[in-house]
């Protein structure tokens, strides 16, 4: 199945959790946040949040700014 | 000097530092040190997975420093509330610099959306520091709906023009029951000193330090100016007069 993260598409296996997906793309949970359909998914729910086909994720991180 | 208290948290530094526009994370980190700031802003962006993760956060996450995520890039209250929730999740803090400026040319804050967002976010438990116009009426309205401070602008973001809104800032300072932080437009240490002398509780400076010839030295110059301005305010400035008031005796020398 295919999911979209920011502007990139990813092929993922059925039953992949958000926690596993984040790990697979080489990210650490510190300093990032993920939302599905503009709803924040708290980090303690990542392991029980399973990706589904055409799911759209937004992932933000820290950048410099005043 | 009296400590600054925001949402029951004490700060001995009254200089807040923005992290934009520094030439490198190292320079930014050194400027944070020399400014002795205890409040540092951070912005958020959608991660570009084609590029490596920026490690700026590790340069600003230090003991004794309160992170102040901002909502730059949002256009209305709804987006601001979402951004605030993302910030809380990413950085583990409920402190927030609320900035809603949909107009890209002048970056002036939208007062209606800012008021709406402040009310919602305060109810959700955020410590909201809204960036706004130097509007005394709006400042009181923000205070009423739960803003932790008000952050009126001295001049538009990044213009370095100083306290162009001075007369209005004076009214805001006089009326406010929450700390007043002058944000935006402060371009020189003398502007910061002026703000603190007037009784502003703190200033937020970014561009003037980040793009200075020597940002680390400029951060220290701002630190000294802020301390000096606050000290002068607490010492109570002498009254101004329109005619000369002699400071030496005018009699009993030649005559």
């Amino acid at each position: 199945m295919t999911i979209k993260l920011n502007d990139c598409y990813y092929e993922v296996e059925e039953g992949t959790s958000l926690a596993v997906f984040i790990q697979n793309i080489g990210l650490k949970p510190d300093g990032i946040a993920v939302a599905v359909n503009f709803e924040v998914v708290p980090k303690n729910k990542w392991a029980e949040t399973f990706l589904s086909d055409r799911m759209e994720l937004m992932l933000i991180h820290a950048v410099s700014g005043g | 000097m009296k400590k600054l208290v925001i949402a029951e948290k004490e700060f001995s530094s009254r200089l807040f530092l923005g992290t934009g526009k520094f030439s490198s994370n190292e320079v930014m980190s050194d400027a944070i040190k020399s400014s002795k700031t205890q409040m540092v802003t951070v912005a958020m962006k959608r991660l570009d997975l084609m590029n490596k993760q920026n490690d700026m956060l590790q340069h600003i996450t230090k003991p004794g420093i309160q992170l102040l995520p901002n909502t730059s890039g949002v256009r209305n209250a709804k987006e601001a509330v979402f951004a605030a929730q993302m910030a809380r999740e990413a950085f583990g803090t409920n402190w927030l610099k609320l900035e809603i400026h949909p107009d890209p040319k002048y970056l002036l804050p939208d007062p209606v959306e800012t008021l709406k967002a402040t009310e919602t976010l305060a109810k959700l438990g955020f410590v909201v520091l809204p960036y706004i116009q130097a509007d005394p009426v709006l400042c009181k309205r923000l205070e009423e709906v739960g803003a932790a401070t008000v952050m009126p602008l001295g001049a538009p973001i990044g213009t370095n023009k100083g306290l162009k809104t001075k007369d209005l800032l004076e009214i805001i300072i006089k009326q406010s029951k929450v700390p007043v932080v002058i944000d935006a437009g402060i371009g020189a240490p003398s502007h910061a000193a002026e703000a603190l002398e007037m009784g502003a509780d703190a200033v937020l400076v970014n561009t003037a330090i980040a793009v200075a010839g020597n940002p680390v030295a400029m951060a220290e110059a701002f630190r000294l100016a802020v301390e000096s301005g606050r000290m002068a305010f607490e010492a109570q400035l002498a009254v101004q007069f329109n005619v000369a008031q002699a400071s030496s005796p005018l009699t009993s020398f030649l005559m």
Side-chain angles (χ1 to χ4, degrees):
Chain A
M1 60 184 189
T2 307
I3 63 129
K4 188 179 178 189
L5 173 65
N6 293 346
D7 293 321
C8 294
Y9 291 90
Y10 291 84
E11 281 298 320
V12 292
E13 285 177 20
E14 296 268 350
T16 305
S17 70
L18 182 56
V20 168
F21 174 68
I22 294 292
Q23 199 178 358
N24 285 350
I25 58 174
L27 295 178
K28 290 189 177 127
D30 296 339
I32 62 173
V34 178
V36 177
N37 298 327
F38 293 95
E39 288 283 334
V40 180
V41 185
K43 282 169 191 155
N44 60 12
K45 303 275 184 205
W46 284 7
E48 57 194 75
T49 301
F50 294 96
L51 304 182
S52 57
D53 195 31
R54 296 183 194 175
M55 195 182 244
E56 293 195 12
L57 309 179
M58 183 195 285
L59 193 155
I60 61 94
H61 71 134
V63 291
S64 303
Chain B
M1 276 181 288
K2 208 175 148 195
K3 289 196 171 162
L4 169 64
V5 180
I6 301 173
E8 297 175 2
K9 183 168 179 164
E10 282 192 351
F11 297 87
S12 37
S13 166
R14 290 171 181 270
L15 173 58
F16 302 169
L17 193 63
T19 56
K21 304 181 189 172
F22 282 95
S23 58
S24 70
N25 285 338
E26 289 68 30
V27 173
M28 176 183 74
S29 181
D30 289 346
I32 289 171
K33 266 184 229 146
S34 66
S35 73
K36 296 203 174 155
T37 185
Q38 294 170 311
M39 181 98 81
V40 169
T41 65
V42 59
M44 292 175 287
K45 199 177 169 191
R46 296 199 320 164
L47 182 65
D48 177 3
L49 288 149
M50 296 299 132
N51 293 314
K52 279 280 171 209
Q53 208 167 351
N54 185 329
D55 65 346
M56 72 80 68
L57 202 55
Q58 75 182 53
H59 290 268
I60 59 173
T61 312
K62 303 268 163 66
I65 289 189
Q66 172 67 51
L67 273 190
L68 185 63
N70 72 31
T71 61
S72 184
V74 307
R75 292 159 297 180
N76 54 47
K78 194 179 166 203
E79 290 180 4
V81 171
F82 171 62
Q85 289 165 331
M86 289 294 263
R88 183 162 62 183
E89 185 60 25
F91 310 127
T93 178
N94 59 350
W95 286 58
L96 187 78
K97 174 181 170 182
L98 176 63
E99 50 178 304
I100 306 177
H101 39 73
D103 158 40
K105 183 169 182 188
Y106 295 105
L107 299 174
L108 291 171
D110 181 325
V112 178
E113 295 299 317
T114 303
L115 182 62
K116 273 196 235 168
T118 300
E119 184 163 21
T120 305
L121 289 166
K123 282 182 187 154
L124 290 171
F126 284 90
V127 176
V128 187
L129 289 72
Y131 164 62
I132 40 161
Q133 296 276 8
D135 178 342
V137 179
L138 176 62
C139 285
K140 290 309 281 182
R141 294 290 301 271
L142 286 163
E143 188 182 297
E144 284 162 17
V145 300
T149 68
V150 287
M151 299 213 294
L153 56 84
I157 294 173
T159 58
N160 296 322
K161 288 188 171 181
L163 307 182
K164 293 293 176 196
T165 56
K166 189 172 180 182
D167 291 350
L168 294 165
L169 293 173
E170 277 173 350
I171 299 172
I172 292 168
I173 290 165
K174 198 173 283 179
Q175 292 185 343
S176 190
K177 290 197 179 75
V178 294
V180 178
V181 183
I182 312 298
D183 181 10
I186 291 178
S190 57
H191 301 153
E194 187 182 12
L196 274 289
E197 282 173 7
M198 281 164 60
D201 295 279
V203 290
L204 197 162
V205 182
N206 186 350
T207 303
I209 291 174
V211 307
N214 182 340
V216 181
M218 189 59 80
E220 188 177 6
F222 267 96
R223 173 179 71 78
L224 293 167
V226 167
E227 285 175 8
S228 178
R230 178 65 194 185
M231 202 179 283
F233 172 73
E234 288 186 13
Q236 299 173 18
L237 292 158
V239 178
Q240 291 187 8
F241 295 100
N242 287 326
V243 292
Q245 308 286 316
S247 52
S248 299
L250 297 177
T251 54
S252 309
F253 175 53
L254 293 177
M255 298 174 65

